């Protein structure tokens, strides 16, 4: 088509063509190019062939992903800020989904429905443009405020409406405290929120017991704050109970497992039978908030322990180790962390409850270098993720023990019944056979031979028939 112009205006057809060509140029200019050597690796991964159990690896600095044990990983979750494009290609090559973790949703966005819709749409576009397969929204901080939980539910439903069937969606939620520690109305509202959010998601990732409940007349059980583990064994069980009571299917729960620890500064120490309590300060009068702790990666914790020549102590109630040390300013610290033994016990708990899987936070906290001790720790932590129970201290659960005993007794009773039946049948057969032989013997003995006189009684009649 030839474009001609007049002194007053451009030809309408020519103008339309120019706009069309300009839009094509803009599309080409803004199109995200597949970073993989094989373009098929940029196709969205809807399913994997690694079974129904999830093993999610979180990362925010994926420098060593080639050293990961990829055979069981189902999802790699990144924040999208420091993600290496090669990680997506490698994940898809290993038949692993690529996930986008969305954090830091501002109150300005969260409290405005129009802005929430815009935010969800822009997040989805970002996920599509960068070849993500899963979007996970971290909303656990919003559970801190009772008045925001209604908006949490609205936000989750809006995410479901906009993204459902186009991409897998999940939510990161807190491992909630026991309802007896907060007011009844707050507990009822919290359970309802947990259920409704879980109901609109493909699954939920349950994080650690660091939620602060703010509701009417909150109850502060322990005004004095002390050092504590990231995931105490009892808290995990209690958290599962809360989700079960809220009606959340265990098949939708993924448990977060930390590969890091907490470093607390102690203002004072108090010795008890089980452990040394590190007091970190006093909580505020209107909440259960305590002074912040420093998060330390597992590889740094091991170096810290070796540097200060500290001895780890095991607390059976928490199924978690800790150690104390004094820094160069003569300030006492207490470090609670997870090692391969404590992680294994929590993985066994996840297996026993038959939840959907586990999420490791974070894969970057291990040292994959040449140091033998660090490499040994890394290998042990990865081997834990195969869900093998501890061989030295196998867990004992009375419900499973009773089931095993009942099954064993059933088998024994069946075998005993079969043996008794065979024995009775054999005895009856022998009895019948012996009775028959005895009867035959009696008939033979009682039958006397015929005399000559009796033999002569046998005669032939006129017709030649014999008569007795």
């Amino acid at each position: 088509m030839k474009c001609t112009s007049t002194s007053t205006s451009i030809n309408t057809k020519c103008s339309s063509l120019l706009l069309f060509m300009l839009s094509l140029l803009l599309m080409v200019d803004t199109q995200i190019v597949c970073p993989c050597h094989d373009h098929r690796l940029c196709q969205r991964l809807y399913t994997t062939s690694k079974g129904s159990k999830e093993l999610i690896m979180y990362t925010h600095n994926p420098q060593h992903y080639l050293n990961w044990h990829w055979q069981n990983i189902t999802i790699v979750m990144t924040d999208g800020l420091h993600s290496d494009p090669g990680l997506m290609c490698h994940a898809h090559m290993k038949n692993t989904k690529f996930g986008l973790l969305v954090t830091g949703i501002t109150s300005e966005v969260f409290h405005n429905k129009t802005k929430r819709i815009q935010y969800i749409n822009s997040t989805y576009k970002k996920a599509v443009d960068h070849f993500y397969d899963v979007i996970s929204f971290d909303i656990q901080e919003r559970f801190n405020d009772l008045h925001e939980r209604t908006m949490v539910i609205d936000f989750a439903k809006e995410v479901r409406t906009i993204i459902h069937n186009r991409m897998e969606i999940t939510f990161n939620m807190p491992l909630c405290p026991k309802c007896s520690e907060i007011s009844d109305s707050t507990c009822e509202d919290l359970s309802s929120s947990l259920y409704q959010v879980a109901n609109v998601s493909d699954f939920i990732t349950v994080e650690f017991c660091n939620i602060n409940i703010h509701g009417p007349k909150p109850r502060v059980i322990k005004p004095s704050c002390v050092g504590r583990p990231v995931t105490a064994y009892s808290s995990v069980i209690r958290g599962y109970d809360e989700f079960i009571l809220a009606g959340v299917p265990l098949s939708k729960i993924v448990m977060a497992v930390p590969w890091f620890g907490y470093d607390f500064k102690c203002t004072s120490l108090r010795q008890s039978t089980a452990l040394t309590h590190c007091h970190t300060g006093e909580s505020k009068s209107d909440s259960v908030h305590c002074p912040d702790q420093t998060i330390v990666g597992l590889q740094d914790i091991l170096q810290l322990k070796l540097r200060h020549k500290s001895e780890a102590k095991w607390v059976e109630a928490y199924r978690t180790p800790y150690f104390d040390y004094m820094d160069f300013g003569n300030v006492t610290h207490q470090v609670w962390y997870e090692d391969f033994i404590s992680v294994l016990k929590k993985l066994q708990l996840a297996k026993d409850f038959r939840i959907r899987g586990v999420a490791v936070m974070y894969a970057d906290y291990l040292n994959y270098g040449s140091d033998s001790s660090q490499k040994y720790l890394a290998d042990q932590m990865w081997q834990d993720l195969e869900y093998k129970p501890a061989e030295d201290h196998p867990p004992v659960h009375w419900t499973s023990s009773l089931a095993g005993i009942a099954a064993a007794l059933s088998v024994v009773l069946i075998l005993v019944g079969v043996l008794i039946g065979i024995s009775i049948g054999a005895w009856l057969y022998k009895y019948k056979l012996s009775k028959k032989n005895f009867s035959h013997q009696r008939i033979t003995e009682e039958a006397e031979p015929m005399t000559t006189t009796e033999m002569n009684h046998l005669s032939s009649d006129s017709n030649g028939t014999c008569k007795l």
Side-chain angles (χ1 to χ4, degrees):
M1 182 181 68
K2 184 178 180 180
C3 295
T4 59
S5 61
T6 64
S7 58
T8 57
S9 65
I10 300 177
N11 183 279
T12 304
K13 292 183 179 180
C14 184
S15 176
S16 300
L17 178 61
L18 290 173
L19 289 173
F20 175 73
M21 293 176 64
L22 181 60
S23 64
L24 285 178
L25 288 173
L26 290 173
M27 288 177 62
V28 172
D29 186 52
T30 58
Q31 184 178 9
I32 304 297
V33 179
C34 175
C36 308
H37 66 279
D38 185 348
H39 284 203
R40 290 176 296 180
L41 295 177
C42 288
Q43 296 177 0
R44 188 175 303 164
L45 194 62
Y46 291 95
T47 59
T48 67
S49 57
K50 299 184 178 181
S52 58
K53 293 297 182 182
E54 298 285 359
L55 175 55
I56 305 173
M57 301 303 298
Y58 279 73
T59 175
H60 50 62
N61 188 23
Q63 296 180 356
H64 305 287
Y65 62 84
L66 295 178
N67 299 102
W68 299 353
H69 296 199
W70 285 88
Q71 61 269 25
N72 295 320
I73 303 175
T74 57
I75 301 175
V76 173
M77 199 70 69
T78 74
D79 56 13
L81 299 177
H82 307 95
S83 180
D84 181 355
L87 176 60
M88 180 275 295
C89 303
H90 193 78
H92 283 178
M93 183 177 66
K94 294 294 185 179
N95 196 29
T96 299
K97 296 178 184 177
F98 193 48
L100 174 63
L101 176 63
V102 182
T103 60
I105 306 174
T106 65
S107 298
E108 181 183 1
V109 170
F110 203 77
H111 289 227
N112 187 298
K113 181 176 181 178
T114 302
K115 292 184 178 180
R116 287 201 307 266
I117 300 297
Q118 293 173 349
Y119 183 83
I120 296 170
N121 278 304
S122 63
T123 301
Y124 173 72
K125 184 180 184 305
K126 176 182 178 181
V128 171
D129 289 344
H130 292 85
F131 314 104
Y132 285 96
D133 311 297
V134 184
I135 303 178
S136 181
F137 294 90
D138 190 340
I139 57 174
Q140 61 172 330
E141 290 185 2
R142 298 299 170 182
F143 278 85
N144 290 354
D145 191 335
L146 174 64
H147 304 292
E148 283 195 343
R149 290 188 199 132
T150 301
M151 285 177 282
V152 167
I153 297 171
D154 292 340
F155 177 77
K157 290 180 178 179
E158 290 158 2
V159 168
R160 178 78 173 183
T161 301
I162 296 171
I163 303 179
H164 179 53
N165 290 333
R166 297 197 287 176
M167 190 172 290
E168 196 169 11
I169 55 172
T170 76
F171 296 92
N172 286 29
M173 301 172 68
L175 189 66
C176 292
K178 195 173 182 178
C179 278
S180 61
E181 296 181 4
I182 55 179
S183 64
D184 293 337
S185 60
T186 304
C187 179
E188 183 179 353
D189 177 81
L190 181 61
S191 297
S192 175
S193 301
L194 293 175
Y195 172 77
Q196 293 189 63
V197 173
N199 190 48
V200 298
S201 63
D202 291 291
F203 64 87
I204 57 175
T205 299
V206 181
E207 293 197 30
F208 319 114
C209 295
N210 54 2
I211 182 175
N212 300 320
I213 297 296
H214 297 286
K217 298 181 180 180
R219 187 187 307 170
V220 180
I221 303 299
K222 295 180 179 180
S224 181
C225 297
V226 296
R228 65 192 186 281
V230 182
T231 52
Y233 191 83
S234 57
S235 297
V236 175
I237 297 177
R238 189 174 64 186
Y240 286 157
D241 289 341
E242 291 302 316
F243 278 92
I244 293 172
L245 291 173
V248 178
L250 291 173
S251 59
K252 276 196 171 187
I253 296 177
V254 172
M255 179 183 70
V257 176
W259 279 2
F260 61 87
Y262 287 157
D263 186 334
F264 297 91
K265 288 184 179 182
C266 307
T267 58
S268 63
L269 296 174
R270 182 176 61 85
Q271 185 66 45
S272 69
T273 305
L275 60 101
T276 302
H277 297 277
C278 165
H279 291 267
T280 62
E282 300 298 318
S283 63
K284 298 178 181 179
S285 59
D286 59 344
S287 71
V288 293
H289 179 74
C290 290
D292 293 334
Q293 62 279 349
T294 302
I295 295 177
V296 186
L298 197 52
Q299 64 181 16
D300 295 329
I301 287 176
L302 181 57
Q303 293 175 357
L304 192 65
K305 180 173 172 290
L306 293 174
R307 185 185 310 124
H308 293 277
K309 299 179 181 180
S310 299
E311 180 182 355
K313 302 174 184 178
W314 179 266
V315 181
E316 184 61 26
Y318 296 152
R319 313 293 202 275
T320 308
Y322 80 96
F323 65 87
D324 302 323
Y325 75 93
M326 185 172 292
D327 63 19
F328 297 109
N330 293 327
V331 176
T332 302
H333 292 244
Q334 188 170 89
V335 179
W336 288 85
Y337 64 104
E338 302 285 344
D339 61 5
F340 62 90
I341 298 176
S342 63
V343 167
L344 189 61
K345 291 183 179 294
K346 294 173 180 67
L347 293 177
Q348 182 62 45
L349 191 63
K351 183 180 179 180
D352 292 343
F353 271 88
R354 298 183 180 181
I355 63 174
R356 188 183 184 100
V358 297
V360 175
M361 298 180 176
Y362 292 82
D364 318 311
Y365 284 150
L366 293 180
N367 190 336
Y368 301 95
S370 58
D371 182 86
S372 58
S373 60
Q374 295 278 10
K375 190 175 184 301
Y376 174 78
L377 176 63
D379 290 340
Q380 289 294 321
M381 299 301 289
W382 279 103
Q383 288 175 17
D384 277 0
L385 299 178
E386 297 178 3
Y387 286 93
K388 292 181 180 179
E391 296 178 357
D392 54 343
H393 298 289
V396 178
H397 303 281
W398 69 270
T399 51
S400 60
S401 299
L402 287 180
I405 292 172
L409 286 176
S410 299
V411 173
V412 171
L413 289 175
I414 291 173
L415 291 175
V416 170
V418 171
L419 291 175
I420 292 175
I422 293 174
S423 300
I424 292 175
W427 183 82
L428 289 175
Y429 176 77
K430 289 181 179 179
Y431 175 77
K432 185 177 181 181
L433 184 63
S434 62
K435 186 177 181 182
K436 181 179 180 181
N437 292 336
F438 178 75
S439 299
H440 178 72
Q441 184 177 359
R442 287 189 60 188
I443 293 172
T444 302
E445 292 175 351
E446 292 176 0
E448 297 178 357
M450 290 184 180
T451 63
T452 304
T453 305
E454 291 171 335
M455 291 291 292
N456 291 334
H457 285 172
L458 293 175
S459 62
S460 301
D461 58 8
S462 59
N463 295 324
T465 58
C466 294
K467 293 182 179 180
L468 181 62

